[in-house]
Amino acid sequence: MSRTQNLRHNVVNQMLEGITHQHIPSPLPPQAALAEMFNVSRTTIRHILVHLHEKGILEKVDQQYLIVRQPRQEDGFDAISASMEQQARQFEQAFFQMINQRTLCAGDSFSELQLAQQVGVRPLVVREFLLRFSRYNLTESVRRGHWLMKKFDRRYAEKLFELREMLEIHALNRFLNLPAGDERWIKARDLLSRHREMRDTIASSYRMFAQLDRELHQLILSAADNPFIDQSLEIISVIFHLHYQWDESDLKQRNIVALEEHMAMLTAIISRNDVEAHCELHRHLSTARQSMIRSIRQYSD
């Protein structure tokens, strides 16, 4: 199958799914809007509309296409695509990357179809992820297929820190009692080495610190060996990425400070200095708390 044909088949499948879940209204939007929605040319959209018209799903009245019946399974194509599980992982990674790279910000509105086309996954994958993510009260369904990335206030941030401190202090206690042969000691030493490498280039690579931050806290939380605690990393990471988007005036300096705090904490952990490790964790969390509150205050002023 040619690349063009495979593209058309995939877009046909996505459009059929959009019609099924009522994300695409009747009459259909103009061809230019559909082309932008699915990130394809108008020529591709015209071919797809003709195809759906021939299938009896659409009917052309004047210059508009109306939906006259719901799609059936046999209307779609067996397009080459990853499994639903693979697509879910792909979209989750892409979603967090959009937040970290500031292409998706607090206050933004977006559609499931837009994100699905942008990442190259089925709209159903996007919808299931957003429904799951909405339990954190950071996304809101404003109408069918359309969402809003919500803002949060100081009270929300304080509640987050209560949870974060409880989880990480518990996990750090478990980490410090891991057997000497546990592979996480090797990972901790590797993380410390990577922090030292980043320190030499932090002036230009400070935006890359978010990944190290995520890895460090993920490593500590893993010692709790609790899937519910592991899942908490998701919301903590996303909220901090959202926070960093609000006020970047001192982002470089914040990351430089956090990098040094990470290194002090890792050094104490690797040395199995329990008291020092807990002191460094409390110091790091306190710095992060004050940084977030300051940013929220500036953002709301």
Side-chain angles (χ1 to χ4, degrees):
M1 183 185 298
S2 70
R3 182 178 178 181
T4 300
Q5 189 176 12
N6 189 54
L7 172 65
R8 289 179 185 174
H9 287 186
N10 279 322
V11 176
V12 165
N13 288 345
Q14 291 182 25
M15 191 172 291
L16 291 174
E17 191 168 335
I19 292 173
T20 299
H21 291 91
Q22 300 179 7
H23 298 160
I24 298 178
S26 180
L28 267 62
Q31 292 183 20
L34 289 171
E36 182 178 355
M37 183 183 300
F38 291 98
N39 194 27
V40 295
S41 67
R42 295 189 192 185
T43 301
T44 298
I45 290 296
R46 283 195 293 271
H47 282 288
I48 292 171
L49 293 177
V50 169
H51 171 78
L52 297 181
H53 180 262
E54 292 174 349
K55 284 282 188 177
I57 299 170
L58 303 178
E59 180 177 330
K60 191 172 185 181
V61 179
D62 296 328
Q63 298 301 314
Q64 293 183 318
Y65 282 93
L66 306 179
I67 301 171
V68 292
R69 73 166 175 85
Q70 284 295 297
R72 296 187 290 264
Q73 185 174 356
E74 60 269 23
D75 293 324
F77 292 99
D78 295 327
I80 300 173
S81 61
S83 67
M84 293 293 284
E85 183 178 349
Q86 290 173 319
Q87 290 184 54
R89 289 197 298 269
Q90 176 185 345
F91 181 74
E92 179 176 350
Q93 182 179 8
F95 183 78
F96 294 153
Q97 188 174 30
M98 290 177 204
I99 292 174
N100 193 33
Q101 294 181 351
R102 304 187 61 173
T103 57
L104 188 59
C105 305
D108 284 354
S109 58
F110 52 89
S111 74
E112 294 168 11
L113 282 173
Q114 287 173 332
L115 293 188
Q117 184 62 30
Q118 183 175 342
V119 180
V121 298
R122 293 180 57 188
L124 180 60
V125 170
V126 177
R127 179 168 182 77
E128 289 181 348
F129 174 86
L130 292 175
L131 286 171
R132 177 168 57 89
F133 189 72
S134 65
R135 70 179 183 269
Y136 299 127
N137 201 33
L138 287 177
T139 54
E140 179 184 5
S141 178
V142 292
R143 64 181 189 277
R144 192 170 185 86
H146 290 76
W147 295 77
L148 173 71
M149 183 67 74
K150 298 174 66 176
K151 303 171 185 177
F152 63 92
D153 56 18
R154 176 171 176 166
R155 183 174 181 275
Y156 190 104
E158 292 284 2
K159 296 296 183 183
L160 168 71
F161 267 90
E162 288 180 13
L163 173 64
R164 183 179 187 181
E165 288 179 339
M166 288 188 293
L167 296 181
E168 296 209 26
I169 290 171
H170 168 72
L172 180 59
N173 285 329
R174 296 289 297 271
F175 198 104
L176 291 166
N177 287 283
L178 289 173
D182 194 287
E183 65 177 4
R184 279 167 285 202
W185 292 112
I186 298 175
K187 292 181 178 179
R189 287 191 286 271
D190 176 66
L191 257 180
L192 179 57
S193 176
R194 290 164 58 198
H195 276 72
R196 287 170 175 163
E197 291 175 2
M198 178 169 282
R199 181 173 57 182
D200 295 335
T201 61
I202 190 68
S204 59
S205 63
Y206 65 94
R207 289 187 182 277
M208 302 300 294
F209 175 74
Q211 180 60 32
L212 280 184
D213 185 72
R214 180 179 175 86
E215 289 185 41
L216 173 62
H217 293 286
Q218 187 176 40
L219 179 63
I220 293 173
L221 290 170
S222 72
D225 193 24
N226 186 319
F228 300 104
I229 291 180
D230 292 340
Q231 291 170 14
S232 71
L233 177 68
E234 172 185 69
I235 184 59
I236 290 172
S237 177
V238 169
I239 287 179
F240 274 91
H241 289 162
L242 281 169
H243 153 60
Y244 288 140
Q245 291 178 12
W246 290 357
D247 174 25
E248 287 204 332
S249 59
D250 62 345
L251 176 60
K252 181 187 294 188
Q253 184 58 37
R254 284 204 307 264
N255 284 358
I256 290 173
V257 170
L259 182 75
E260 294 294 337
E261 290 176 348
H262 276 200
M263 292 174 61
M265 182 166 37
L266 281 166
T267 299
I269 290 172
I270 293 169
S271 302
R272 299 206 181 207
N273 187 329
D274 294 25
V275 174
E276 189 68 20
H278 278 93
C279 286
E280 293 299 339
L281 175 61
H282 281 290
R283 181 163 71 102
H284 179 56
L285 293 179
S286 177
T287 300
R289 179 199 294 264
Q290 293 305 316
S291 178
M292 173 174 280
I293 290 173
R294 183 170 60 251
S295 183
I296 291 173
R297 188 181 299 119
Q298 291 174 354
Y299 182 81
S300 58
D301 286 345

